[in-house]
mmCIF file of all heavy atoms in Angstrom:
data_model
loop_
_atom_site.group_PDB
_atom_site.id
_atom_site.type_symbol
_atom_site.label_atom_id
_atom_site.label_comp_id
_atom_site.label_asym_id
_atom_site.label_seq_id
_atom_site.Cartn_x
_atom_site.Cartn_y
_atom_site.Cartn_z
ATOM 1 N N MET A 31 -77.306 -25.011 0.948
ATOM 2 C CA MET A 31 -76.256 -25.635 1.587
ATOM 3 C C MET A 31 -75.674 -24.774 2.770
ATOM 4 O O MET A 31 -75.172 -25.307 3.741
ATOM 5 C CB MET A 31 -75.105 -25.872 0.527
ATOM 6 C CG MET A 31 -73.975 -26.630 0.989
ATOM 7 S SD MET A 31 -72.902 -26.960 -0.530
ATOM 8 C CE MET A 31 -71.553 -27.770 0.236
ATOM 9 N N CYS A 32 -75.785 -23.401 2.585
ATOM 10 C CA CYS A 32 -75.209 -22.525 3.620
ATOM 11 C C CYS A 32 -76.304 -22.178 4.645
ATOM 12 O O CYS A 32 -75.978 -21.474 5.621
ATOM 13 C CB CYS A 32 -74.757 -21.190 2.936
ATOM 14 S SG CYS A 32 -73.348 -21.500 1.939
ATOM 15 N N GLY A 33 -77.498 -22.639 4.460
ATOM 16 C CA GLY A 33 -78.562 -22.331 5.433
ATOM 17 C C GLY A 33 -79.000 -20.865 5.353
ATOM 18 O O GLY A 33 -79.373 -20.257 6.390
ATOM 19 N N ILE A 34 -78.931 -20.304 4.175
ATOM 20 C CA ILE A 34 -79.344 -18.830 4.050
ATOM 21 C C ILE A 34 -80.490 -18.727 2.978
ATOM 22 O O ILE A 34 -80.656 -19.698 2.207
ATOM 23 C CB ILE A 34 -78.179 -17.978 3.584
ATOM 24 C CG1 ILE A 34 -77.574 -18.428 2.258
ATOM 25 C CG2 ILE A 34 -77.090 -17.921 4.691
ATOM 26 C CD1 ILE A 34 -76.584 -17.376 1.671
ATOM 27 N N LYS A 35 -81.144 -17.637 2.967
ATOM 28 C CA LYS A 35 -82.183 -17.417 1.941
ATOM 29 C C LYS A 35 -81.438 -17.087 0.580
ATOM 30 O O LYS A 35 -80.339 -16.502 0.590
ATOM 31 C CB LYS A 35 -83.108 -16.362 2.350
ATOM 32 C CG LYS A 35 -83.985 -16.712 3.527
ATOM 33 C CD LYS A 35 -84.865 -15.573 3.917
ATOM 34 C CE LYS A 35 -85.501 -15.979 5.226
ATOM 35 N NZ LYS A 35 -86.722 -15.679 5.606
ATOM 36 N N ARG A 36 -82.146 -17.417 -0.438
ATOM 37 C CA ARG A 36 -81.601 -17.151 -1.763
ATOM 38 C C ARG A 36 -81.323 -15.656 -1.929
ATOM 39 O O ARG A 36 -80.304 -15.240 -2.534
ATOM 40 C CB ARG A 36 -82.647 -17.650 -2.835
ATOM 41 C CG ARG A 36 -82.107 -17.794 -4.163
ATOM 42 C CD ARG A 36 -83.105 -18.636 -5.046
ATOM 43 N NE ARG A 36 -82.632 -18.583 -6.392
ATOM 44 C CZ ARG A 36 -83.306 -17.832 -7.308
ATOM 45 N NH1 ARG A 36 -84.392 -17.143 -7.042
ATOM 46 N NH2 ARG A 36 -82.831 -17.745 -8.554
ATOM 47 N N GLN A 37 -82.228 -14.824 -1.492
ATOM 48 C CA GLN A 37 -82.049 -13.379 -1.583
ATOM 49 C C GLN A 37 -80.850 -12.882 -0.873
ATOM 50 O O GLN A 37 -80.229 -11.962 -1.232
ATOM 51 C CB GLN A 37 -83.312 -12.701 -1.052
ATOM 52 C CG GLN A 37 -83.448 -11.257 -1.454
ATOM 53 C CD GLN A 37 -83.384 -11.125 -3.019
ATOM 54 O OE1 GLN A 37 -83.912 -11.906 -3.710
ATOM 55 N NE2 GLN A 37 -82.717 -10.052 -3.434
ATOM 56 N N THR A 38 -80.364 -13.607 0.209
ATOM 57 C CA THR A 38 -79.173 -13.195 0.908
ATOM 58 C C THR A 38 -77.954 -13.340 -0.001
ATOM 59 O O THR A 38 -77.053 -12.547 0.014
ATOM 60 C CB THR A 38 -78.946 -14.058 2.193
ATOM 61 O OG1 THR A 38 -80.125 -13.917 3.038
ATOM 62 C CG2 THR A 38 -77.710 -13.692 2.975
ATOM 63 N N PHE A 39 -77.939 -14.438 -0.843
ATOM 64 C CA PHE A 39 -76.923 -14.618 -1.780
ATOM 65 C C PHE A 39 -76.780 -13.340 -2.732
ATOM 66 O O PHE A 39 -75.790 -12.781 -2.871
ATOM 67 C CB PHE A 39 -77.129 -15.841 -2.726
ATOM 68 C CG PHE A 39 -76.121 -15.980 -3.785
ATOM 69 C CD1 PHE A 39 -75.004 -16.713 -3.613
ATOM 70 C CD2 PHE A 39 -76.301 -15.318 -5.029
ATOM 71 C CE1 PHE A 39 -74.056 -16.867 -4.573
ATOM 72 C CE2 PHE A 39 -75.297 -15.460 -5.970
ATOM 73 C CZ PHE A 39 -74.207 -16.228 -5.795
ATOM 74 N N TYR A 40 -78.017 -12.936 -3.201
ATOM 75 C CA TYR A 40 -78.035 -11.772 -4.096
ATOM 76 C C TYR A 40 -77.688 -10.438 -3.388
ATOM 77 O O TYR A 40 -77.345 -9.471 -4.104
ATOM 78 C CB TYR A 40 -79.370 -11.711 -4.871
ATOM 79 C CG TYR A 40 -79.474 -12.833 -5.829
ATOM 80 C CD1 TYR A 40 -80.450 -13.818 -5.605
ATOM 81 C CD2 TYR A 40 -78.727 -12.898 -6.981
ATOM 82 C CE1 TYR A 40 -80.538 -14.880 -6.560
ATOM 83 C CE2 TYR A 40 -78.839 -14.004 -7.856
ATOM 84 C CZ TYR A 40 -79.687 -14.907 -7.646
ATOM 85 O OH TYR A 40 -79.860 -15.944 -8.542
ATOM 86 N N TYR A 41 -77.772 -10.409 -2.112
ATOM 87 C CA TYR A 41 -77.360 -9.283 -1.300
ATOM 88 C C TYR A 41 -75.867 -9.073 -1.445
ATOM 89 O O TYR A 41 -75.334 -8.007 -1.484
ATOM 90 C CB TYR A 41 -77.754 -9.367 0.097
ATOM 91 C CG TYR A 41 -77.304 -8.227 0.926
ATOM 92 C CD1 TYR A 41 -77.899 -7.009 0.912
ATOM 93 C CD2 TYR A 41 -76.238 -8.407 1.868
ATOM 94 C CE1 TYR A 41 -77.452 -5.908 1.698
ATOM 95 C CE2 TYR A 41 -75.714 -7.368 2.656
ATOM 96 C CZ TYR A 41 -76.361 -6.123 2.588
ATOM 97 O OH TYR A 41 -75.946 -5.073 3.324
ATOM 98 N N HIS A 42 -75.139 -10.157 -1.567
ATOM 99 C CA HIS A 42 -73.714 -10.180 -1.662
ATOM 100 C C HIS A 42 -73.077 -10.292 -3.013
ATOM 101 O O HIS A 42 -71.978 -9.720 -3.306
ATOM 102 C CB HIS A 42 -73.108 -11.380 -0.716
ATOM 103 C CG HIS A 42 -73.400 -11.145 0.627
ATOM 104 N ND1 HIS A 42 -72.712 -10.341 1.509
ATOM 105 C CD2 HIS A 42 -74.392 -11.701 1.441
ATOM 106 C CE1 HIS A 42 -73.224 -10.355 2.716
ATOM 107 N NE2 HIS A 42 -74.246 -11.237 2.690
ATOM 108 N N PHE A 43 -73.716 -11.081 -3.910
ATOM 109 C CA PHE A 43 -73.165 -11.317 -5.273
ATOM 110 C C PHE A 43 -74.243 -11.269 -6.291
ATOM 111 O O PHE A 43 -75.434 -11.521 -6.066
ATOM 112 C CB PHE A 43 -72.585 -12.720 -5.357
ATOM 113 C CG PHE A 43 -71.487 -12.912 -4.242
ATOM 114 C CD1 PHE A 43 -71.705 -13.660 -3.151
ATOM 115 C CD2 PHE A 43 -70.273 -12.416 -4.430
ATOM 116 C CE1 PHE A 43 -70.734 -13.850 -2.185
ATOM 117 C CE2 PHE A 43 -69.201 -12.516 -3.499
ATOM 118 C CZ PHE A 43 -69.476 -13.288 -2.305
ATOM 119 N N ARG A 44 -73.865 -10.817 -7.519
ATOM 120 C CA ARG A 44 -74.810 -10.736 -8.640
ATOM 121 C C ARG A 44 -75.215 -12.127 -9.141
ATOM 122 O O ARG A 44 -76.408 -12.360 -9.479
ATOM 123 C CB ARG A 44 -74.224 -9.920 -9.783
ATOM 124 C CG ARG A 44 -74.052 -8.495 -9.530
ATOM 125 C CD ARG A 44 -73.620 -7.759 -10.772
ATOM 126 N NE ARG A 44 -72.491 -8.385 -11.474
ATOM 127 C CZ ARG A 44 -71.178 -8.030 -11.213
ATOM 128 N NH1 ARG A 44 -70.942 -7.069 -10.467
ATOM 129 N NH2 ARG A 44 -70.258 -8.709 -11.845
ATOM 130 N N ASP A 45 -74.210 -13.027 -9.182
ATOM 131 C CA ASP A 45 -74.439 -14.398 -9.698
ATOM 132 C C ASP A 45 -73.301 -15.280 -9.233
ATOM 133 O O ASP A 45 -72.430 -14.808 -8.434
ATOM 134 C CB ASP A 45 -74.598 -14.464 -11.195
ATOM 135 C CG ASP A 45 -73.407 -13.754 -11.925
ATOM 136 O OD1 ASP A 45 -72.245 -13.751 -11.376
ATOM 137 O OD2 ASP A 45 -73.574 -13.301 -13.036
ATOM 138 N N ILE A 46 -73.306 -16.554 -9.648
ATOM 139 C CA ILE A 46 -72.250 -17.414 -9.209
ATOM 140 C C ILE A 46 -70.897 -17.076 -9.781
ATOM 141 O O ILE A 46 -69.859 -17.213 -9.072
ATOM 142 C CB ILE A 46 -72.631 -18.900 -9.629
ATOM 143 C CG1 ILE A 46 -73.897 -19.383 -8.788
ATOM 144 C CG2 ILE A 46 -71.521 -19.877 -9.442
ATOM 145 C CD1 ILE A 46 -74.387 -20.768 -9.131
ATOM 146 N N TYR A 47 -70.864 -16.432 -10.890
ATOM 147 C CA TYR A 47 -69.559 -15.995 -11.443
ATOM 148 C C TYR A 47 -68.964 -14.833 -10.628
ATOM 149 O O TYR A 47 -67.717 -14.726 -10.482
ATOM 150 C CB TYR A 47 -69.704 -15.624 -12.977
ATOM 151 C CG TYR A 47 -70.047 -16.773 -13.779
ATOM 152 C CD1 TYR A 47 -71.371 -16.969 -14.205
ATOM 153 C CD2 TYR A 47 -69.107 -17.741 -14.146
ATOM 154 C CE1 TYR A 47 -71.710 -18.092 -15.023
ATOM 155 C CE2 TYR A 47 -69.429 -18.832 -14.893
ATOM 156 C CZ TYR A 47 -70.760 -18.990 -15.308
ATOM 157 O OH TYR A 47 -71.061 -20.133 -16.107
ATOM 158 N N ASP A 48 -69.810 -14.058 -10.142
ATOM 159 C CA ASP A 48 -69.405 -12.982 -9.227
ATOM 160 C C ASP A 48 -68.821 -13.571 -7.971
ATOM 161 O O ASP A 48 -67.759 -13.043 -7.473
ATOM 162 C CB ASP A 48 -70.622 -12.067 -8.962
ATOM 163 C CG ASP A 48 -70.228 -10.739 -8.273
ATOM 164 O OD1 ASP A 48 -69.095 -10.258 -8.518
ATOM 165 O OD2 ASP A 48 -71.027 -10.211 -7.434
ATOM 166 N N LEU A 49 -69.411 -14.638 -7.472
ATOM 167 C CA LEU A 49 -68.912 -15.293 -6.244
ATOM 168 C C LEU A 49 -67.512 -15.940 -6.606
ATOM 169 O O LEU A 49 -66.560 -15.862 -5.815
ATOM 170 C CB LEU A 49 -69.841 -16.378 -5.781
ATOM 171 C CG LEU A 49 -69.318 -17.361 -4.725
ATOM 172 C CD1 LEU A 49 -68.795 -16.649 -3.477
ATOM 173 C CD2 LEU A 49 -70.408 -18.363 -4.377
ATOM 174 N N LEU A 50 -67.438 -16.548 -7.770
ATOM 175 C CA LEU A 50 -66.138 -17.149 -8.174
ATOM 176 C C LEU A 50 -65.082 -16.080 -8.324
ATOM 177 O O LEU A 50 -63.896 -16.295 -7.948
ATOM 178 C CB LEU A 50 -66.293 -17.975 -9.485
ATOM 179 C CG LEU A 50 -65.135 -18.785 -9.944
ATOM 180 C CD1 LEU A 50 -64.856 -19.884 -8.923
ATOM 181 C CD2 LEU A 50 -65.388 -19.434 -11.288
ATOM 182 N N THR A 51 -65.466 -14.957 -8.899
ATOM 183 C CA THR A 51 -64.419 -13.800 -8.955
ATOM 184 C C THR A 51 -63.992 -13.450 -7.541
ATOM 185 O O THR A 51 -62.819 -13.206 -7.271
ATOM 186 C CB THR A 51 -65.132 -12.575 -9.636
ATOM 187 O OG1 THR A 51 -65.520 -12.988 -10.931
ATOM 188 C CG2 THR A 51 -64.226 -11.421 -9.729
ATOM 189 N N TRP A 52 -64.952 -13.342 -6.589
ATOM 190 C CA TRP A 52 -64.633 -12.952 -5.238
ATOM 191 C C TRP A 52 -63.618 -14.009 -4.661
ATOM 192 O O TRP A 52 -62.742 -13.606 -3.948
ATOM 193 C CB TRP A 52 -65.920 -12.940 -4.377
ATOM 194 C CG TRP A 52 -65.736 -12.412 -3.022
ATOM 195 C CD1 TRP A 52 -65.747 -11.122 -2.595
ATOM 196 C CD2 TRP A 52 -65.367 -13.188 -1.860
ATOM 197 N NE1 TRP A 52 -65.501 -11.061 -1.261
ATOM 198 C CE2 TRP A 52 -65.268 -12.290 -0.773
ATOM 199 C CE3 TRP A 52 -65.178 -14.535 -1.623
ATOM 200 C CZ2 TRP A 52 -64.978 -12.719 0.503
ATOM 201 C CZ3 TRP A 52 -64.888 -14.982 -0.381
ATOM 202 C CH2 TRP A 52 -64.729 -14.072 0.711
ATOM 203 N N ILE A 53 -63.868 -15.270 -4.920
ATOM 204 C CA ILE A 53 -62.927 -16.304 -4.427
ATOM 205 C C ILE A 53 -61.528 -16.009 -4.891
ATOM 206 O O ILE A 53 -60.626 -15.963 -4.086
ATOM 207 C CB ILE A 53 -63.402 -17.755 -4.886
ATOM 208 C CG1 ILE A 53 -64.750 -18.105 -4.141
ATOM 209 C CG2 ILE A 53 -62.317 -18.745 -4.625
ATOM 210 C CD1 ILE A 53 -65.364 -19.413 -4.716
ATOM 211 N N PHE A 54 -61.384 -15.798 -6.186
ATOM 212 C CA PHE A 54 -60.011 -15.570 -6.671
ATOM 213 C C PHE A 54 -59.386 -14.217 -6.283
ATOM 214 O O PHE A 54 -58.251 -14.174 -6.179
ATOM 215 C CB PHE A 54 -59.973 -15.801 -8.149
ATOM 216 C CG PHE A 54 -60.060 -17.300 -8.485
ATOM 217 C CD1 PHE A 54 -61.088 -17.808 -9.299
ATOM 218 C CD2 PHE A 54 -59.171 -18.190 -8.015
ATOM 219 C CE1 PHE A 54 -61.202 -19.130 -9.636
ATOM 220 C CE2 PHE A 54 -59.295 -19.547 -8.315
ATOM 221 C CZ PHE A 54 -60.290 -19.966 -9.098
ATOM 222 N N LEU A 55 -60.275 -13.280 -6.070
ATOM 223 C CA LEU A 55 -59.696 -12.010 -5.519
ATOM 224 C C LEU A 55 -59.252 -12.102 -4.104
ATOM 225 O O LEU A 55 -58.444 -11.325 -3.623
ATOM 226 C CB LEU A 55 -60.727 -10.872 -5.724
ATOM 227 C CG LEU A 55 -61.012 -10.333 -7.104
ATOM 228 C CD1 LEU A 55 -62.130 -9.371 -7.118
ATOM 229 C CD2 LEU A 55 -59.731 -9.780 -7.680
ATOM 230 N N ASN A 56 -59.868 -13.005 -3.354
ATOM 231 C CA ASN A 56 -59.630 -13.128 -1.907
ATOM 232 C C ASN A 56 -58.804 -14.335 -1.581
ATOM 233 O O ASN A 56 -58.488 -14.538 -0.321
ATOM 234 C CB ASN A 56 -60.897 -13.066 -1.150
ATOM 235 C CG ASN A 56 -61.543 -11.672 -1.224
ATOM 236 O OD1 ASN A 56 -61.166 -10.813 -0.505
ATOM 237 N ND2 ASN A 56 -62.505 -11.539 -2.120
ATOM 238 N N GLU A 57 -58.587 -15.207 -2.449
ATOM 239 C CA GLU A 57 -57.868 -16.494 -2.212
ATOM 240 C C GLU A 57 -56.437 -16.144 -1.764
ATOM 241 O O GLU A 57 -55.736 -15.260 -2.389
ATOM 242 C CB GLU A 57 -57.796 -17.325 -3.488
ATOM 243 C CG GLU A 57 -57.371 -18.775 -3.216
ATOM 244 C CD GLU A 57 -58.458 -19.564 -2.585
ATOM 245 O OE1 GLU A 57 -58.607 -19.513 -1.361
ATOM 246 O OE2 GLU A 57 -59.165 -20.362 -3.264
ATOM 247 N N ASP A 58 -55.990 -16.732 -0.704
ATOM 248 C CA ASP A 58 -54.667 -16.565 -0.173
ATOM 249 C C ASP A 58 -53.893 -17.819 -0.456
ATOM 250 O O ASP A 58 -54.184 -18.812 0.142
ATOM 251 C CB ASP A 58 -54.774 -16.188 1.307
ATOM 252 C CG ASP A 58 -53.412 -15.779 1.900
ATOM 253 O OD1 ASP A 58 -52.499 -15.458 1.168
ATOM 254 O OD2 ASP A 58 -53.314 -15.896 3.160
ATOM 255 N N ILE A 59 -52.865 -17.669 -1.250
ATOM 256 C CA ILE A 59 -52.006 -18.856 -1.513
ATOM 257 C C ILE A 59 -50.924 -18.811 -0.339
ATOM 258 O O ILE A 59 -50.137 -18.009 -0.300
ATOM 259 C CB ILE A 59 -51.278 -18.739 -2.779
ATOM 260 C CG1 ILE A 59 -52.250 -18.668 -4.022
ATOM 261 C CG2 ILE A 59 -50.350 -19.879 -3.029
ATOM 262 C CD1 ILE A 59 -51.655 -18.588 -5.385
ATOM 263 N N LYS A 60 -51.088 -19.828 0.518
ATOM 264 C CA LYS A 60 -50.219 -19.937 1.664
ATOM 265 C C LYS A 60 -48.852 -20.555 1.140
ATOM 266 O O LYS A 60 -48.762 -21.439 0.371
ATOM 267 C CB LYS A 60 -50.757 -20.869 2.674
ATOM 268 C CG LYS A 60 -52.151 -20.500 3.161
ATOM 269 C CD LYS A 60 -52.054 -19.399 4.273
ATOM 270 C CE LYS A 60 -53.416 -19.222 4.822
ATOM 271 N NZ LYS A 60 -53.938 -17.892 4.768
ATOM 272 N N THR A 61 -47.786 -19.991 1.712
ATOM 273 C CA THR A 61 -46.493 -20.513 1.462
ATOM 274 C C THR A 61 -45.654 -20.439 2.697
ATOM 275 O O THR A 61 -45.722 -19.421 3.477
ATOM 276 C CB THR A 61 -45.762 -19.788 0.260
ATOM 277 O OG1 THR A 61 -44.465 -20.334 0.140
ATOM 278 C CG2 THR A 61 -45.740 -18.280 0.462
ATOM 279 N N ARG A 62 -44.926 -21.464 3.027
ATOM 280 C CA ARG A 62 -44.086 -21.457 4.242
ATOM 281 C C ARG A 62 -42.753 -20.802 4.038
ATOM 282 O O ARG A 62 -42.214 -20.189 4.983
ATOM 283 C CB ARG A 62 -43.882 -22.904 4.696
ATOM 284 C CG ARG A 62 -45.154 -23.585 5.180
ATOM 285 C CD ARG A 62 -44.983 -25.080 5.398
ATOM 286 N NE ARG A 62 -46.277 -25.679 5.493
ATOM 287 C CZ ARG A 62 -46.720 -26.286 6.536
ATOM 288 N NH1 ARG A 62 -45.972 -26.445 7.600
ATOM 289 N NH2 ARG A 62 -47.912 -26.843 6.468
ATOM 290 N N SER A 63 -42.205 -20.934 2.835
ATOM 291 C CA SER A 63 -40.910 -20.283 2.632
ATOM 292 C C SER A 63 -41.087 -19.115 1.696
ATOM 293 O O SER A 63 -42.019 -19.108 0.852
ATOM 294 C CB SER A 63 -39.966 -21.322 1.977
ATOM 295 O OG SER A 63 -40.536 -21.912 0.840
#
Side-chain angles (χ1 to χ4, degrees):
M31 189 173 174
C32 295
I34 62 171
K35 293 181 187 212
R36 195 166 171 254
Q37 198 54 38
T38 302
F39 175 93
Y40 289 112
Y41 176 76
H42 296 279
F43 302 104
R44 289 185 313 263
D45 54 27
I46 291 178
Y47 295 101
D48 193 29
L49 171 57
L50 189 60
T51 302
W52 186 91
I53 289 171
F54 287 121
L55 287 174
N56 292 282
E57 193 76 279
D58 186 20
I59 300 181
K60 304 277 189 238
T61 178
R62 292 172 197 240
S63 54

